[in-house]
Amino acid sequence: MDVQAVREQFPILNQRIHGRSLIYLDNAATLQMPERVLESITMQYRAANGNVHRGVHTLSQRSTQRMEWARQVVADYIDAAPEEIVFTSGTTDSINLLAKLLEPTIDPGSQIIVSGMEHHSNLLPWQEVCRNTGAELVILQVNEAGEVSLEELEMILKKKTALVAVTWVSNLLGTINPIREITQMAHRAGAVVCVDGAQGMKQADISTRKADYDFLAFSGHKLGSLTGIGVLYGKKERLENLYPVRFGGGMIASTGYYDFQPGNLPQCFEAGTPNYTGAISLGEALCFLQEIGIEKIQCREEELTALVVKLLQEIDSVHVLGNPDRRSGAVSFAVKGVHPFDLGSLLDAQGIAVRTGHMCAQPLVEHLGYTSVLRVSPAFYNTREELSVMQDTIRRGIEILRGKRG
Amino acid sequence: MTLSEKQNRMIAEINALGDCFEQYSYLIYKSSELPPMPEDLRDEEHLVRGCQSELWLEKKSEEGRLYFTGWTDTLILRGVLQVLRDLLVGERIEEIRDLEISLFEKTELGATFTSDRNTGVQTILRMLKS
């Protein structure tokens, strides 16, 4: 991969923050937007904007065609069919929608298994479903290495299980979960599988054919599109058996004053004007990633992530959370005696963007013995030189915070 | 010297320190001057809402003048508290209410606070003025 050529596609990276070159290492929160996507958004509003699915006029048809093109791109990206792709506003929205769709199918005597490393987005909706249905929420615990145990899953699955909800990649630890194996085990036990793909969409084996999960939720902005667009993928045979929970324009076959007939998949789950510009930008973003090559991106991100771990471990008193076999895109750490907010602020003062806090994975942070940590999340466009500057700056920051300098 | 003149002098002194890394170093140095707040005062009543990190504030007035102290786990916010103490403790409450506190906006310090923390700093300022 020609990293410099790739970086030229991201104008935002070429700027100074507080007088220093920006080093953007908060990619797990949001990926920056490539020129191609920026241009597509401008083009949409300059030449093609019209509300979709409603008009006979040319602009409406252009927008509709572009949105449906984007749906096809998303479908191809994960080896699915376009009718299996429901556009939402993001991962959180997708999982909330799924939880509402599935709720009437959940038996009060059953259990919902959620891994202990979930983002709040793939935990709270299932807490709510359990409260509403009487089903039991069971946590698949995370070990010191930051991994879940398949043996433990096998044990838990012996009880009647309606659903297993698990993230592809942990947003806190970067752990890559064995989704294919988890899905096979869940299916053997008669459970459906919901995968949080927010951090996992740059994995080459995200394909539905390879992994066979039932539902997948992800956000566009972590892939270089606009914010406010996301996807809920559902297997056709699953979606066909779910009744809509959002009602209004665009989701019907026909309606009278007192009753309506829902429309076809996937529109029956997309009430209201969809975020078609967001969808188009997602299509463009996925095309951009595919042109670079998903396997190349995955390989580079795993390499950079391993380098982040190595560089952090070389710094005295830094503790890197977890030590999973495979990790990508996120490394969290704590420094003995140093508050994460202080170090995060010092890094920002040097133009380095990282994230501090509990990363919306509060139960896991607490399970690992912390209340707040720092997270470095590299992406394919980061360089080794940037990571080296990060290491030096963290060292200098720790010295200042410990009063050895300044 | 009026309170406003005192603030301007502090702004000039902080800006003379150099870039924001140096100014942060100064905040960390100031944090060591903040007297520890007794544990029993670090309770719900004294907790300031709106900060990323836990922060407690205790204030009182004597003969129309403001006295306060506070505590937090983060060194930078401890430094912020101490800088505010340097500016405001013992000053007349009426004068503090009339003062536009621009200490953080007119130095590099404000620029590097995250928006969440900035909200926290704004909350502290509001509480001190109320």
Side-chain angles (χ1 to χ4, degrees):
Chain A
M1 185 190 298
D2 181 348
V3 179
Q4 283 313 318
V6 168
R7 285 179 71 86
E8 281 169 19
Q9 298 301 307
F10 292 85
I12 198 170
L13 297 177
N14 185 26
Q15 64 170 300
R16 297 181 87 76
I17 300 281
H18 308 308
R20 295 180 187 260
S21 294
L22 166 68
I23 298 179
Y24 183 75
L25 292 169
D26 195 20
N27 294 288
T30 199
L31 189 74
Q32 298 299 352
M33 188 180 283
E35 195 69 53
R36 173 179 176 156
V37 178
L38 285 163
E39 279 169 16
S40 82
I41 296 163
T42 311
M43 200 284 266
Q44 172 64 17
Y45 283 112
R46 282 187 188 279
N49 187 44
N51 202 343
V52 291
H53 292 319
R54 317 263 199 282
V56 291
H57 63 81
T58 305
L59 292 184
S60 170
Q61 287 169 11
R62 278 185 196 159
S63 287
T64 305
Q65 282 165 4
R66 296 189 80 207
M67 183 175 87
E68 293 310 318
W69 163 82
R71 200 188 301 274
Q72 184 68 54
V73 171
V74 173
D76 291 345
Y77 192 89
I78 58 169
D79 282 333
E83 65 260 38
E84 296 176 311
I85 304 299
V86 180
F87 284 125
T88 65
S89 71
T91 308
T92 303
D93 187 39
S94 295
I95 300 174
N96 273 277
L97 171 61
L98 179 62
K100 279 290 164 207
L101 288 169
L102 288 178
E103 198 171 286
T105 72
I106 306 287
D107 182 341
S110 64
Q111 63 179 6
I112 289 177
I113 300 174
V114 177
S115 100
M117 66 173 80
E118 297 309 306
H119 187 285
H120 298 167
S121 298
N122 202 23
L123 170 63
L124 275 57
W126 305 120
Q127 288 180 352
E128 197 61 19
V129 167
C130 287
R131 253 192 296 278
N132 294 341
T133 60
E136 184 187 0
L137 187 72
V138 176
I139 302 298
L140 175 62
Q141 292 297 340
V142 177
N143 62 22
E144 275 292 303
E147 295 172 324
V148 293
S149 145
L150 294 182
E151 290 74 29
E152 190 191 336
L153 178 62
E154 194 72 62
M155 289 291 294
I156 305 173
L157 277 169
K158 284 180 179 160
K159 201 179 155 197
K160 185 182 172 190
T161 306
L163 177 101
V164 176
V166 63
T167 188
W168 197 292
V169 174
S170 159
N171 74 311
L172 183 78
L173 308 173
T175 309
I176 303 170
N177 279 317
I179 295 298
R180 187 177 174 177
E181 289 77 3
I182 290 172
T183 302
Q184 284 172 347
M185 290 166 68
H187 283 174
R188 276 200 299 273
V192 298
V193 175
C194 164
V195 174
D196 174 351
Q199 304 294 343
M201 297 305 294
K202 288 178 273 166
Q203 298 292 309
D205 50 359
I206 193 77
S207 156
T208 59
R209 292 210 185 98
K210 288 181 186 162
D212 199 35
Y213 46 82
D214 302 283
F215 299 99
L216 172 74
F218 64 94
S219 300
H221 71 95
K222 293 185 196 290
L223 301 165
S225 85
L226 279 170
T227 54
I229 183 71
V231 167
L232 173 64
Y233 155 83
K235 271 186 185 162
K236 190 179 174 195
E237 59 268 32
R238 297 277 180 205
L239 290 177
E240 278 173 341
N241 289 313
L242 298 173
Y243 190 75
V245 291
R246 293 173 180 175
F247 309 97
M251 54 78 66
I252 54 154
S254 66
T255 187
Y257 278 121
Y258 301 104
D259 201 9
F260 72 91
Q261 289 297 315
N264 293 327
L265 289 177
Q267 280 80 18
C268 62
F269 298 121
E270 291 179 353
T273 296
N275 179 2
Y276 52 91
T277 308
I280 293 162
S281 74
L282 174 57
E284 293 286 352
L286 292 179
C287 287
F288 174 82
L289 297 177
Q290 282 171 321
E291 275 174 20
I292 297 173
I294 304 305
E295 284 179 10
K296 281 187 193 160
I297 288 174
Q298 179 187 5
C299 187
R300 178 159 179 86
E301 292 196 348
E302 285 192 32
E303 254 176 55
L304 290 175
T305 305
L307 182 58
V308 169
V309 172
K310 176 178 171 287
L311 293 172
L312 289 173
Q313 284 174 335
E314 285 171 3
I315 304 171
D316 275 350
S317 65
V318 163
H319 174 69
V320 174
L321 274 67
N323 181 30
D325 252 3
R326 281 188 69 205
R327 74 158 112 207
S328 185
V331 181
S332 292
F333 68 101
V335 184
K336 202 173 176 189
V338 169
H339 199 292
F341 293 139
D342 287 336
L343 187 53
S345 299
L346 285 176
L347 291 175
D348 178 61
Q350 294 291 286
I352 301 176
V354 300
R355 190 152 286 256
T356 63
H358 53 53
M359 317 305 154
C360 289
Q362 193 176 358
L364 178 57
V365 172
E366 289 176 3
H367 175 72
L368 295 171
Y370 297 92
T371 53
S372 175
V373 292
L374 291 113
R375 181 183 70 186
V376 175
S377 55
F380 54 94
Y381 49 54
N382 287 119
T383 64
R384 291 178 178 81
E385 292 73 31
E386 286 182 313
L387 299 184
S388 174
V389 173
M390 171 206 77
Q391 186 195 40
D392 289 344
T393 314
I394 290 173
R395 273 208 181 100
R396 191 174 160 210
I398 292 171
E399 282 176 9
I400 286 175
L401 289 166
R402 292 225 166 114
K404 289 180 185 165
R405 183 191 168 284
Chain B
M1 186 167 41
T2 65
L3 187 53
S4 180
E5 286 166 349
K6 184 179 176 186
Q7 176 171 249
N8 288 339
R9 199 188 66 191
M10 286 177 71
I11 289 168
E13 283 171 2
I14 292 170
N15 281 332
L17 293 169
D19 69 7
C20 56
F21 219 68
E22 296 302 328
Q23 295 190 17
Y24 265 85
S25 299
Y26 168 74
L27 271 189
I28 289 150
Y29 162 72
K30 292 305 284 184
S31 72
S32 63
E33 293 180 1
L34 184 72
M37 189 180 191
E39 289 274 352
D40 58 349
L41 290 177
R42 299 180 205 174
D43 56 14
E44 277 289 307
E45 190 191 334
H46 295 95
L47 194 63
V48 177
R49 306 277 171 201
C51 287
Q52 261 198 52
S53 40
E54 286 190 315
L55 185 143
W56 298 269
L57 198 64
E58 193 215 12
K59 60 171 190 167
K60 61 184 176 187
S61 62
E62 276 175 22
E63 297 172 350
R65 292 177 187 274
L66 178 71
Y67 296 89
F68 70 93
T69 189
W71 195 253
T72 171
D73 289 338
T74 94
L75 294 182
I76 286 170
L77 274 181
R78 261 186 239 167
V80 166
L81 281 172
Q82 183 57 32
V83 168
L84 285 172
R85 275 165 52 89
D86 288 350
L87 177 66
L88 303 175
V89 162
E91 298 293 341
R92 283 162 25 87
I93 289 169
E94 279 175 16
E95 211 178 344
I96 291 172
R97 283 199 182 127
D98 290 341
L99 179 73
E100 191 184 328
I101 299 177
S102 54
L103 193 60
F104 301 106
E105 287 160 25
K106 291 186 176 169
T107 61
E108 292 287 319
L109 298 174
T112 55
F113 288 146
T114 66
S115 55
D116 283 349
R117 182 172 284 167
N118 231 340
T119 308
V121 171
Q122 294 306 324
T123 312
I124 297 168
L125 295 179
R126 260 200 313 278
M127 284 190 67
L128 290 176
K129 283 190 159 203
S130 66

Short mmCIF file of all heavy atoms in Angstrom, two decimals, chain A residues 222-245:
data_model
loop_
_atom_site.label_atom_id
_atom_site.label_comp_id
_atom_site.label_asym_id
_atom_site.label_seq_id
_atom_site.Cartn_x
_atom_site.Cartn_y
_atom_site.Cartn_z
N LYS A 222 -17.62 5.19 10.47
CA LYS A 222 -16.36 4.52 10.85
C LYS A 222 -15.67 3.93 9.62
O LYS A 222 -14.62 3.30 9.71
CB LYS A 222 -16.63 3.44 11.89
CG LYS A 222 -17.09 4.03 13.23
CD LYS A 222 -17.24 2.98 14.28
CE LYS A 222 -18.05 3.43 15.48
NZ LYS A 222 -17.39 4.42 16.32
N LEU A 223 -16.30 4.13 8.45
CA LEU A 223 -15.75 3.62 7.19
C LEU A 223 -15.48 4.75 6.21
O LEU A 223 -15.13 4.51 5.06
CB LEU A 223 -16.74 2.63 6.57
CG LEU A 223 -17.07 1.42 7.46
CD1 LEU A 223 -18.29 0.68 6.96
CD2 LEU A 223 -15.86 0.49 7.53
N GLY A 224 -15.69 5.99 6.65
CA GLY A 224 -15.35 7.13 5.78
C GLY A 224 -16.55 7.82 5.16
O GLY A 224 -16.39 8.68 4.29
N SER A 225 -17.77 7.48 5.59
CA SER A 225 -18.95 8.14 5.02
C SER A 225 -19.41 9.26 5.96
O SER A 225 -18.77 9.56 6.96
CB SER A 225 -20.09 7.14 4.83
OG SER A 225 -20.83 6.99 6.03
N LEU A 226 -20.54 9.85 5.61
CA LEU A 226 -21.19 10.80 6.51
C LEU A 226 -21.57 10.11 7.82
O LEU A 226 -21.73 8.90 7.85
CB LEU A 226 -22.48 11.32 5.87
CG LEU A 226 -22.39 12.42 4.83
CD1 LEU A 226 -23.74 12.60 4.15
CD2 LEU A 226 -21.96 13.72 5.48
N THR A 227 -21.78 10.91 8.87
CA THR A 227 -22.39 10.36 10.07
C THR A 227 -23.90 10.26 9.81
O THR A 227 -24.42 10.82 8.86
CB THR A 227 -22.17 11.28 11.29
OG1 THR A 227 -22.63 12.58 10.95
CG2 THR A 227 -20.71 11.34 11.68
N GLY A 228 -24.59 9.54 10.68
CA GLY A 228 -26.05 9.47 10.57
C GLY A 228 -26.53 8.44 9.56
O GLY A 228 -27.69 8.44 9.17
N ILE A 229 -25.61 7.58 9.09
CA ILE A 229 -26.05 6.48 8.23
C ILE A 229 -25.45 5.19 8.77
O ILE A 229 -24.29 5.14 9.19
CB ILE A 229 -25.63 6.69 6.74
CG1 ILE A 229 -26.17 5.56 5.84
CG2 ILE A 229 -24.12 6.81 6.59
CD1 ILE A 229 -27.66 5.61 5.64
N GLY A 230 -26.27 4.17 8.79
CA GLY A 230 -25.80 2.86 9.24
C GLY A 230 -26.62 1.79 8.56
O GLY A 230 -27.50 2.09 7.74
N VAL A 231 -26.32 0.56 8.90
CA VAL A 231 -26.97 -0.57 8.23
C VAL A 231 -27.37 -1.61 9.27
O VAL A 231 -26.63 -1.88 10.22
CB VAL A 231 -25.99 -1.22 7.20
CG1 VAL A 231 -26.51 -2.56 6.72
CG2 VAL A 231 -25.77 -0.28 6.03
N LEU A 232 -28.56 -2.15 9.07
CA LEU A 232 -28.92 -3.39 9.74
C LEU A 232 -29.07 -4.43 8.64
O LEU A 232 -29.96 -4.32 7.79
CB LEU A 232 -30.24 -3.26 10.52
CG LEU A 232 -30.77 -4.58 11.09
CD1 LEU A 232 -29.82 -5.14 12.14
CD2 LEU A 232 -32.16 -4.40 11.70
N TYR A 233 -28.16 -5.40 8.64
CA TYR A 233 -28.31 -6.53 7.73
C TYR A 233 -29.09 -7.60 8.48
O TYR A 233 -28.83 -7.85 9.67
CB TYR A 233 -26.94 -7.08 7.30
CG TYR A 233 -27.01 -8.54 6.89
CD1 TYR A 233 -27.39 -8.91 5.60
CD2 TYR A 233 -26.75 -9.56 7.81
CE1 TYR A 233 -27.51 -10.24 5.24
CE2 TYR A 233 -26.85 -10.90 7.46
CZ TYR A 233 -27.24 -11.24 6.18
OH TYR A 233 -27.36 -12.56 5.83
N GLY A 234 -30.03 -8.23 7.78
CA GLY A 234 -30.70 -9.40 8.36
C GLY A 234 -30.89 -10.43 7.26
O GLY A 234 -31.17 -10.08 6.10
N LYS A 235 -30.72 -11.68 7.61
CA LYS A 235 -30.98 -12.75 6.63
C LYS A 235 -32.42 -12.61 6.17
O LYS A 235 -33.33 -12.39 6.99
CB LYS A 235 -30.81 -14.11 7.30
CG LYS A 235 -29.42 -14.65 7.24
CD LYS A 235 -29.40 -16.06 7.81
CE LYS A 235 -27.98 -16.56 7.87
NZ LYS A 235 -27.83 -17.70 8.76
N LYS A 236 -32.63 -12.81 4.87
CA LYS A 236 -33.96 -12.60 4.31
C LYS A 236 -35.02 -13.41 5.07
O LYS A 236 -36.07 -12.88 5.44
CB LYS A 236 -33.96 -12.99 2.84
CG LYS A 236 -35.21 -12.59 2.10
CD LYS A 236 -35.14 -12.98 0.64
CE LYS A 236 -36.49 -12.68 -0.02
NZ LYS A 236 -36.62 -13.34 -1.31
N GLU A 237 -34.72 -14.68 5.33
CA GLU A 237 -35.73 -15.53 5.99
C GLU A 237 -36.02 -15.07 7.42
O GLU A 237 -37.09 -15.32 7.96
CB GLU A 237 -35.34 -17.01 5.95
CG GLU A 237 -34.02 -17.37 6.60
CD GLU A 237 -32.85 -17.34 5.62
OE1 GLU A 237 -32.88 -16.52 4.67
OE2 GLU A 237 -31.91 -18.13 5.81
N ARG A 238 -35.07 -14.38 8.03
CA ARG A 238 -35.31 -13.82 9.37
C ARG A 238 -36.16 -12.55 9.25
O ARG A 238 -37.15 -12.38 9.96
CB ARG A 238 -33.99 -13.46 10.06
CG ARG A 238 -33.07 -14.61 10.32
CD ARG A 238 -33.45 -15.34 11.60
NE ARG A 238 -32.55 -16.45 11.84
CZ ARG A 238 -32.86 -17.51 12.54
NH1 ARG A 238 -34.05 -17.63 13.10
NH2 ARG A 238 -31.99 -18.48 12.72
N LEU A 239 -35.74 -11.65 8.36
CA LEU A 239 -36.46 -10.37 8.24
C LEU A 239 -37.92 -10.59 7.81
O LEU A 239 -38.81 -9.88 8.26
CB LEU A 239 -35.76 -9.46 7.21
CG LEU A 239 -34.40 -8.88 7.61
CD1 LEU A 239 -33.81 -8.06 6.46
CD2 LEU A 239 -34.50 -8.01 8.86
N GLU A 240 -38.13 -11.57 6.95
CA GLU A 240 -39.49 -11.83 6.46
C GLU A 240 -40.46 -12.18 7.57
O GLU A 240 -41.67 -11.99 7.43
CB GLU A 240 -39.46 -12.99 5.44
CG GLU A 240 -39.07 -12.54 4.06
CD GLU A 240 -38.89 -13.71 3.09
OE1 GLU A 240 -38.71 -14.86 3.56
OE2 GLU A 240 -38.91 -13.45 1.89
N ASN A 241 -39.93 -12.71 8.65
CA ASN A 241 -40.80 -13.13 9.75
C ASN A 241 -40.94 -12.09 10.86
O ASN A 241 -41.47 -12.38 11.93
CB ASN A 241 -40.29 -14.45 10.34
CG ASN A 241 -40.52 -15.59 9.37
OD1 ASN A 241 -41.60 -15.73 8.83
ND2 ASN A 241 -39.48 -16.36 9.11
N LEU A 242 -40.40 -10.89 10.63
CA LEU A 242 -40.50 -9.84 11.65
C LEU A 242 -41.48 -8.77 11.18
O LEU A 242 -41.54 -8.44 10.00
CB LEU A 242 -39.11 -9.23 11.89
CG LEU A 242 -38.05 -10.21 12.42
CD1 LEU A 242 -36.68 -9.54 12.46
CD2 LEU A 242 -38.44 -10.74 13.80
N TYR A 243 -42.23 -8.25 12.15
CA TYR A 243 -43.24 -7.26 11.81
C TYR A 243 -42.67 -5.85 12.09
O TYR A 243 -42.03 -5.63 13.13
CB TYR A 243 -44.51 -7.49 12.64
CG TYR A 243 -45.66 -6.65 12.17
CD1 TYR A 243 -46.35 -6.99 11.00
CD2 TYR A 243 -46.04 -5.50 12.86
CE1 TYR A 243 -47.41 -6.21 10.54
CE2 TYR A 243 -47.09 -4.72 12.40
CZ TYR A 243 -47.77 -5.07 11.25
OH TYR A 243 -48.79 -4.29 10.79
N PRO A 244 -42.91 -4.91 11.17
CA PRO A 244 -42.34 -3.56 11.35
C PRO A 244 -42.70 -2.94 12.70
O PRO A 244 -43.76 -3.22 13.27
CB PRO A 244 -42.96 -2.75 10.22
CG PRO A 244 -43.33 -3.75 9.19
CD PRO A 244 -43.68 -5.01 9.92
N VAL A 245 -41.80 -2.10 13.19
CA VAL A 245 -42.06 -1.39 14.45
C VAL A 245 -42.02 0.13 14.26
O VAL A 245 -42.26 0.88 15.20
CB VAL A 245 -41.04 -1.78 15.55
CG1 VAL A 245 -41.25 -3.21 15.99
CG2 VAL A 245 -39.60 -1.56 15.09
#
